Each structure stands twice: as C-alpha cells, then as structure tokens.
Coordinates of all heavy atoms in Angstrom, one line a residue:
M1 N 0.8 -1.2 0.0 CA -0.1 0.0 0.0 C 0.9 1.2 0.0 O 0.5 2.3 0.4 CB -0.9 0.0 1.2 CG -2.1 -0.9 1.1 SD -3.3 -0.5 2.3 CE -4.2 -1.9 2.2
G2 N 2.1 1.2 -0.4 CA 3.0 2.3 -0.4 C 2.8 3.2 -1.7 O 3.4 4.3 -1.7
N3 N 2.1 2.8 -2.6 CA 1.9 3.6 -3.8 C 0.9 4.7 -3.6 O -0.1 4.5 -3.0 CB 1.4 2.7 -5.1 CG 2.5 1.7 -5.3 OD1 3.7 1.9 -5.1 ND2 2.1 0.6 -6.0
A4 N 1.2 5.9 -4.2 CA 0.2 7.0 -4.2 C -1.0 6.7 -5.1 O -0.9 6.0 -6.1 CB 0.9 8.3 -4.6
V5 N -2.2 7.1 -4.6 CA -3.4 6.7 -5.3 C -4.0 8.2 -5.6 O -4.2 9.0 -4.7 CB -4.5 6.0 -4.5 CG1 -4.0 4.4 -4.4 CG2 -4.7 6.4 -3.1
H6 N -4.4 8.4 -6.9 CA -4.9 9.7 -7.4 C -6.3 9.7 -7.8 O -6.9 10.6 -7.8 CB -3.9 10.1 -8.4 CG -2.5 10.4 -7.9 ND1 -2.0 11.3 -7.1 CD2 -1.4 9.6 -8.2 CE1 -0.8 11.2 -6.9 NE2 -0.3 10.2 -7.5
D7 N -6.8 8.6 -8.4 CA -8.1 8.6 -8.9 C -9.1 8.2 -7.9 O -8.7 7.5 -6.9 CB -8.2 7.8 -10.2 CG -8.0 6.3 -9.9 OD1 -6.8 5.9 -9.9 OD2 -9.0 5.5 -9.7
K8 N -10.3 8.6 -7.9 CA -11.3 8.4 -6.9 C -11.6 6.9 -6.7 O -11.6 6.6 -5.5 CB -12.6 9.2 -7.3 CG -13.6 9.2 -6.3 CD -14.9 10.0 -6.6 CE -15.8 10.1 -5.5 NZ -17.0 11.0 -5.9
D9 N -11.7 6.2 -7.6 CA -11.8 4.7 -7.5 C -10.8 4.1 -6.7 O -11.0 3.3 -5.7 CB -12.0 3.9 -8.8 CG -13.3 4.4 -9.4 OD1 -14.3 4.8 -8.9 OD2 -13.3 4.2 -10.8
S10 N -9.6 4.4 -6.9 CA -8.4 3.9 -6.2 C -8.4 4.4 -4.8 O -8.0 3.7 -3.8 CB -7.0 4.2 -6.8 OG -7.0 3.6 -8.1
Q11 N -8.8 5.7 -4.6 CA -8.8 6.2 -3.2 C -10.0 5.5 -2.4 O -9.8 5.1 -1.2 CB -9.2 7.6 -3.3 CG -7.9 8.5 -3.8 CD -8.1 9.9 -4.1 OE1 -9.2 10.3 -4.3 NE2 -7.0 10.7 -4.1
L12 N -11.2 5.3 -2.9 CA -12.2 4.6 -2.4 C -11.8 3.1 -1.9 O -12.0 2.7 -0.8 CB -13.5 4.7 -3.1 CG -14.2 5.9 -3.2 CD1 -15.4 5.8 -4.2 CD2 -14.8 6.2 -1.8
S13 N -11.2 2.5 -2.9 CA -10.6 1.2 -2.6 C -9.6 1.2 -1.4 O -9.7 0.3 -0.6 CB -9.9 0.6 -3.9 OG -9.5 -0.6 -3.6
Y14 N -8.7 2.2 -1.5 CA -7.8 2.3 -0.4 C -8.4 2.4 1.0 O -8.1 1.7 2.0 CB -6.9 3.5 -0.6 CG -5.8 3.7 0.5 CD1 -4.6 3.1 0.6 CD2 -6.3 4.6 1.6 CE1 -3.7 3.4 1.6 CE2 -5.3 4.8 2.6 CZ -4.0 4.3 2.6 OH -3.3 4.5 3.6
L15 N -9.5 3.3 1.1 CA -10.3 3.5 2.3 C -10.9 2.3 2.7 O -10.9 2.0 3.9 CB -11.2 4.7 2.2 CG -10.5 6.0 2.1 CD1 -11.6 7.1 1.6 CD2 -9.8 6.4 3.2
K16 N -11.5 1.5 1.8 CA -12.3 0.4 2.1 C -11.2 -0.7 2.7 O -11.6 -1.4 3.7 CB -13.0 -0.2 1.0 CG -14.2 0.5 0.5 CD -14.9 -0.1 -0.7 CE -16.0 0.8 -1.2 NZ -16.5 0.3 -2.4
N17 N -10.1 -0.8 2.0 CA -9.2 -1.7 2.5 C -8.7 -1.5 3.9 O -8.5 -2.4 4.8 CB -8.0 -1.8 1.6 CG -8.3 -2.6 0.3 OD1 -9.3 -3.4 0.2 ND2 -7.5 -2.3 -0.8
R18 N -8.4 -0.2 4.2 CA -7.9 0.2 5.5 C -9.0 -0.1 6.6 O -8.7 -0.5 7.6 CB -7.6 1.7 5.5 CG -6.4 1.9 4.7 CD -5.1 1.2 5.1 NE -4.7 1.6 6.4 CZ -3.4 1.9 6.7 NH1 -2.4 1.8 5.8 NH2 -3.1 2.2 7.9
L19 N -10.3 0.2 6.2 CA -11.3 0.0 7.1 C -11.5 -1.5 7.4 O -11.7 -2.0 8.6 CB -12.7 0.6 6.6 CG -13.9 0.5 7.4 CD1 -13.6 1.1 8.9 CD2 -15.1 1.0 6.7
N20 N -11.4 -2.3 6.4 CA -11.5 -3.8 6.6 C -10.3 -4.3 7.4 O -10.5 -5.2 8.3 CB -11.4 -4.5 5.1 CG -12.8 -4.4 4.5 OD1 -13.8 -4.4 5.2 ND2 -12.7 -4.4 3.2
M21 N -9.1 -3.6 7.3 CA -8.0 -4.1 8.2 C -8.3 -3.7 9.7 O -8.1 -4.5 10.5 CB -6.7 -3.3 7.7 CG -5.8 -4.1 6.9 SD -4.2 -3.3 6.8 CE -4.4 -2.0 5.7
F22 N -8.9 -2.5 9.8 CA -9.3 -2.1 11.1 C -10.3 -3.2 11.7 O -10.2 -3.6 12.9 CB -9.9 -0.8 11.0 CG -10.5 -0.3 12.4 CD1 -9.5 0.2 13.3 CD2 -11.7 -0.3 12.6 CE1 -10.1 0.7 14.7 CE2 -12.3 0.2 13.8 CZ -11.5 0.7 14.8
L23 N -11.2 -3.5 11.0 CA -12.3 -4.5 11.5 C -11.6 -5.8 11.7 O -12.0 -6.5 12.7 CB -13.4 -4.6 10.4 CG -14.3 -3.3 10.3 CD1 -15.2 -3.4 9.1 CD2 -15.0 -3.0 11.5
E24 N -10.8 -6.2 11.0 CA -10.1 -7.5 11.2 C -9.2 -7.5 12.5 O -9.3 -8.4 13.3 CB -9.2 -7.9 10.0 CG -9.9 -8.3 8.8 CD -9.0 -8.6 7.6 OE1 -7.7 -8.7 7.8 OE2 -9.5 -8.6 6.5
V25 N -8.6 -6.4 12.8 CA -7.9 -6.2 14.1 C -8.8 -6.3 15.1 O -8.5 -7.0 16.2 CB -7.1 -4.9 14.0 CG1 -6.5 -4.6 15.4 CG2 -6.0 -4.9 13.0
I26 N -9.9 -5.6 15.2 CA -10.9 -5.7 16.1 C -11.5 -7.1 16.4 O -11.6 -7.6 17.5 CB -12.1 -4.7 15.9 CG1 -11.6 -3.3 16.1 CG2 -13.3 -5.0 16.8 CD1 -12.7 -2.3 15.9
D27 N -11.8 -7.8 15.4 CA -12.3 -9.1 15.4 C -11.2 -10.1 16.0 O -11.7 -11.0 16.7 CB -12.7 -9.6 14.0 CG -14.0 -9.1 13.5 OD1 -14.8 -8.5 14.3 OD2 -14.2 -9.2 12.3
S28 N -10.0 -9.8 15.8 CA -8.9 -10.7 16.3 C -8.6 -10.5 17.8 O -7.8 -11.3 18.3 CB -7.7 -10.6 15.4 OG -7.1 -9.4 15.6
M29 N -9.0 -9.4 18.3 CA -8.8 -9.0 19.7 C -9.5 -9.8 20.7 O -10.7 -10.1 20.5 CB -9.0 -7.6 19.9 CG -8.1 -6.7 19.1 SD -8.4 -4.9 19.3 CE -7.4 -4.6 20.7
D30 N -8.8 -10.2 21.7 CA -9.5 -10.9 22.9 C -9.8 -9.9 23.9 O -8.8 -9.2 24.5 CB -8.5 -12.0 23.3 CG -9.1 -12.7 24.6 OD1 -10.3 -12.7 24.8 OD2 -8.2 -13.4 25.3
P31 N -11.2 -9.7 24.3 CA -11.5 -8.7 25.3 C -10.8 -8.8 26.6 O -10.5 -7.9 27.3 CB -13.0 -8.8 25.3 CG -13.4 -9.5 24.1 CD -12.2 -10.3 23.7
E32 N -10.5 -10.1 26.9 CA -9.9 -10.4 28.2 C -8.4 -9.9 28.2 O -7.9 -9.7 29.4 CB -10.0 -11.9 28.6 CG -11.4 -12.3 28.7 CD -12.2 -11.7 29.9 OE1 -11.6 -11.5 31.0 OE2 -13.4 -11.4 29.6
S33 N -7.6 -9.9 27.1 CA -6.3 -9.6 27.1 C -6.0 -8.2 26.5 O -4.8 -7.9 26.4 CB -5.6 -10.7 26.5 OG -5.9 -10.8 25.1
T34 N -7.0 -7.5 26.1 CA -6.8 -6.2 25.5 C -6.4 -5.1 26.5 O -7.1 -5.1 27.6 CB -8.1 -5.7 24.7 OG1 -8.4 -6.7 23.7 CG2 -7.9 -4.4 24.1
D35 N -5.4 -4.4 26.3 CA -5.0 -3.4 27.2 C -5.0 -2.1 26.5 O -5.4 -1.9 25.4 CB -3.6 -3.7 27.8 CG -2.5 -3.7 26.6 OD1 -2.7 -3.2 25.6 OD2 -1.4 -4.2 26.9
V36 N -4.6 -1.1 27.2 CA -4.7 0.3 26.9 C -3.9 0.6 25.5 O -4.4 1.4 24.7 CB -4.2 1.3 28.1 CG1 -4.2 2.7 27.5 CG2 -5.1 1.2 29.1
D37 N -2.8 0.0 25.5 CA -1.9 0.1 24.3 C -2.7 -0.4 23.0 O -2.7 0.2 22.0 CB -0.6 -0.6 24.4 CG 0.3 0.0 25.4 OD1 0.2 1.2 25.6 OD2 1.1 -0.7 26.0
D38 N -3.4 -1.4 23.2 CA -4.1 -2.0 22.1 C -5.3 -1.0 21.6 O -5.5 -0.8 20.5 CB -4.9 -3.3 22.4 CG -3.9 -4.4 22.7 OD1 -2.8 -4.4 22.1 OD2 -4.1 -5.2 23.7
V39 N -6.0 -0.4 22.5 CA -7.0 0.6 22.4 C -6.3 1.8 21.7 O -6.9 2.4 20.7 CB -7.8 0.9 23.6 CG1 -8.7 2.1 23.3 CG2 -8.5 -0.3 24.1
D40 N -5.2 2.3 22.2 CA -4.5 3.4 21.6 C -4.2 3.1 20.1 O -4.3 4.1 19.3 CB -3.3 3.7 22.4 CG -3.6 4.3 23.7 OD1 -4.7 5.0 23.9 OD2 -2.6 4.5 24.6
R41 N -3.7 1.9 19.8 CA -3.4 1.6 18.4 C -4.7 1.6 17.6 O -4.6 2.1 16.4 CB -2.8 0.1 18.4 CG -2.0 -0.2 17.2 CD -1.1 -1.4 17.4 NE -1.7 -2.5 17.9 CZ -1.3 -3.0 19.1 NH1 -0.2 -2.5 19.8 NH2 -1.9 -4.1 19.7
L42 N -5.7 1.2 18.1 CA -7.1 1.3 17.4 C -7.5 2.7 17.1 O -7.9 3.0 15.9 CB -8.2 0.6 18.1 CG -8.1 -1.0 18.2 CD1 -9.2 -1.5 19.1 CD2 -8.2 -1.6 16.8
I43 N -7.3 3.5 18.1 CA -7.5 4.9 17.9 C -6.7 5.7 16.8 O -7.1 6.3 16.1 CB -7.4 5.7 19.2 CG1 -8.6 5.2 20.2 CG2 -7.5 7.2 19.1 CD1 -8.5 5.6 21.6
Q44 N -5.4 5.2 16.8 CA -4.4 5.7 15.9 C -4.9 5.3 14.5 O -4.8 6.0 13.5 CB -3.0 5.3 16.3 CG -2.0 5.9 15.3 CD -1.9 7.4 15.4 OE1 -1.9 8.0 16.5 NE2 -1.9 8.0 14.2
M45 N -5.3 4.1 14.3 CA -5.7 3.5 13.0 C -6.9 4.3 12.5 O -7.0 4.7 11.4 CB -6.1 2.1 13.0 CG -5.0 1.0 13.3 SD -5.4 -0.6 13.5 CE -5.8 -1.1 11.8
L46 N -7.8 4.7 13.4 CA -9.0 5.5 13.0 C -8.5 6.9 12.6 O -9.1 7.5 11.7 CB -10.0 5.5 14.1 CG -10.8 4.3 14.3 CD1 -11.8 4.4 15.5 CD2 -11.6 4.0 13.1
D47 N -7.6 7.4 13.4 CA -7.1 8.8 13.1 C -6.5 8.8 11.7 O -6.7 9.8 11.0 CB -6.2 9.3 14.2 CG -6.9 9.6 15.6 OD1 -8.1 9.8 15.5 OD2 -6.1 9.7 16.5
D48 N -5.6 7.9 11.5 CA -5.0 7.8 10.2 C -6.0 7.6 9.1 O -5.9 8.3 8.0 CB -4.1 6.6 10.1 CG -2.9 6.7 11.0 OD1 -2.6 7.7 11.6 OD2 -2.2 5.7 11.3
L49 N -7.1 6.8 9.3 CA -8.1 6.6 8.3 C -8.9 8.0 8.0 O -9.1 8.3 6.8 CB -9.1 5.5 8.6 CG -10.1 5.1 7.7 CD1 -9.4 4.6 6.5 CD2 -11.0 4.0 8.3
E50 N -9.2 8.7 9.0 CA -9.8 10.0 9.0 C -8.9 11.0 8.2 O -9.4 11.7 7.4 CB -10.1 10.5 10.3 CG -10.8 11.8 10.2 CD -11.1 12.4 11.6 OE1 -10.5 12.0 12.6 OE2 -12.1 13.3 11.7
L51 N -7.6 11.0 8.4 CA -6.6 11.9 7.8 C -6.7 11.6 6.3 O -6.7 12.5 5.5 CB -5.3 11.7 8.3 CG -4.1 12.5 7.7 CD1 -4.4 13.9 8.0 CD2 -2.8 12.1 8.1
K52 N -6.5 10.3 5.9 CA -6.6 10.0 4.5 C -7.9 10.4 3.9 O -7.9 10.8 2.7 CB -6.4 8.5 4.3 CG -5.0 8.0 4.3 CD -4.3 8.7 3.1 CE -2.8 8.3 3.0 NZ -2.1 9.0 2.0
H53 N -9.0 10.1 4.6 CA -10.4 10.5 4.0 C -10.4 12.0 3.7 O -10.9 12.5 2.7 CB -11.4 10.1 5.1 CG -12.7 10.6 4.5 ND1 -13.3 11.7 5.2 CD2 -13.7 10.3 3.7 CE1 -14.5 12.1 4.6 NE2 -14.7 11.2 3.7
N54 N -9.9 12.8 4.6 CA -9.9 14.2 4.5 C -9.0 14.7 3.4 O -9.3 15.5 2.6 CB -9.4 14.9 5.8 CG -10.6 14.8 6.9 OD1 -11.7 14.7 6.6 ND2 -10.2 14.9 8.1
Q55 N -7.8 13.9 3.2 CA -7.0 14.3 2.0 C -7.7 14.0 0.7 O -7.7 14.8 -0.3 CB -5.6 13.4 2.2 CG -4.7 13.9 3.2 CD -3.6 13.0 3.3 OE1 -3.5 11.9 2.8 NE2 -2.5 13.4 4.1
F56 N -8.3 12.8 0.7 CA -9.0 12.4 -0.6 C -10.1 13.4 -0.8 O -10.4 13.6 -2.0 CB -9.4 11.0 -0.5 CG -8.3 9.9 -0.4 CD1 -8.5 8.6 0.0 CD2 -6.9 10.2 -0.8 CE1 -7.5 7.7 0.1 CE2 -6.0 9.3 -0.8 CZ -6.2 8.0 -0.4
K57 N -10.9 13.7 0.2 CA -12.1 14.6 0.1 C -11.7 15.8 -0.7 O -12.4 16.3 -1.5 CB -12.7 14.8 1.3 CG -14.1 15.3 1.3 CD -14.8 15.3 2.6 CE -14.0 16.1 3.7 NZ -14.9 16.1 5.0
K58 N -10.5 16.4 -0.4 CA -10.0 17.6 -1.0 C -9.8 17.3 -2.5 O -10.2 18.2 -3.3 CB -8.7 18.1 -0.3 CG -9.0 18.7 1.1 CD -7.7 19.1 1.7 CE -7.9 19.5 3.2 NZ -6.7 19.8 3.8
D59 N -9.2 16.2 -2.7 CA -9.1 15.8 -4.2 C -10.3 15.8 -5.0 O -10.5 16.0 -6.2 CB -8.2 14.5 -4.4 CG -6.9 14.5 -3.9 OD1 -6.3 15.6 -3.7 OD2 -6.3 13.4 -3.7
W60 N -11.4 15.3 -4.3 CA -12.7 15.0 -5.0 C -13.4 16.3 -5.3 O -14.2 16.4 -6.2 CB -13.6 14.1 -4.2 CG -13.0 12.8 -3.9 CD1 -12.0 12.1 -4.6 CD2 -13.3 11.8 -2.8 NE1 -11.6 10.8 -4.1 CE2 -12.5 10.7 -3.0 CE3 -14.3 11.9 -1.8 CZ2 -12.6 9.6 -2.1 CZ3 -14.3 10.8 -1.0 CH2 -13.6 9.6 -1.2
K61 N -13.1 17.3 -4.5 CA -13.7 18.6 -4.7 C -13.1 19.3 -5.9 O -13.7 20.3 -6.5 CB -13.6 19.5 -3.5 CG -14.5 19.0 -2.4 CD -14.4 19.9 -1.1 CE -15.2 19.4 0.0 NZ -15.2 20.2 1.1
E62 N -11.8 19.0 -6.2 CA -11.1 19.7 -7.4 C -11.6 19.3 -8.7 O -12.1 18.3 -9.0 CB -9.7 19.4 -7.1 CG -9.0 20.1 -5.9 CD -7.5 19.8 -5.7 OE1 -6.9 19.1 -6.6 OE2 -7.0 20.2 -4.8

C-alpha cells in the first residue's frame, strides 16, 4: 500500500481496505487480554483513516 493513489476509485478502494483491516484487527482481539496500548493503536488507526479520508475529500472537490 505504499503507492500513491490519485483517482477516486483507487482512493475509495484504499479507504475500504484500511477499514477492513481495522475491522479484522478488532475481530482478532481478545477482550480479556486487550490493554490500553491496544486501544490506543485502534484509535491511531482510526485517526490515520480519517486523515486519509480528508486528504482524498479535498481531491474529490477539485
């Protein structure tokens, strides 16, 4: 996923893939052994996803 994505379809695909990764991480977590660092990592993943969405949204307006 290191390549830049410029067209809207590729950007949407990127966002969907990242969201699916996030969901897979959540599904793989054991609630009994999840700690604060795990939750912080999830929050960071969401923050990164939001950042990308905002970057792509600016492209879509142009």
Side-chain angles (χ1 to χ4, degrees):
M1 286 196 194
N3 297 336
V5 287
H6 298 288
D7 64 278
K8 189 173 182 176
D9 289 337
S10 295
Q11 291 171 337
L12 283 172
S13 179
Y14 177 89
L15 292 173
K16 287 178 186 179
N17 287 336
R18 295 300 291 225
L19 184 57
N20 283 331
M21 262 195 283
F22 175 79
L23 294 173
E24 287 176 16
V25 169
I26 288 179
D27 285 342
S28 70
M29 296 175 87
D30 177 17
E32 297 297 321
S33 64
T34 300
D35 62 16
V36 173
D37 290 335
D38 296 325
V39 174
D40 285 343
R41 198 165 44 244
L42 289 172
I43 292 169
Q44 185 61 51
M45 289 176 77
L46 285 175
D47 288 345
D48 293 344
L49 188 59
E50 181 181 21
L51 177 69
K52 275 298 182 189
H53 170 260
N54 288 332
Q55 288 174 346
F56 293 159
K57 191 167 60 171
K58 288 178 186 175
D59 290 346
W60 300 340
K61 289 180 181 180
E62 294 178 359

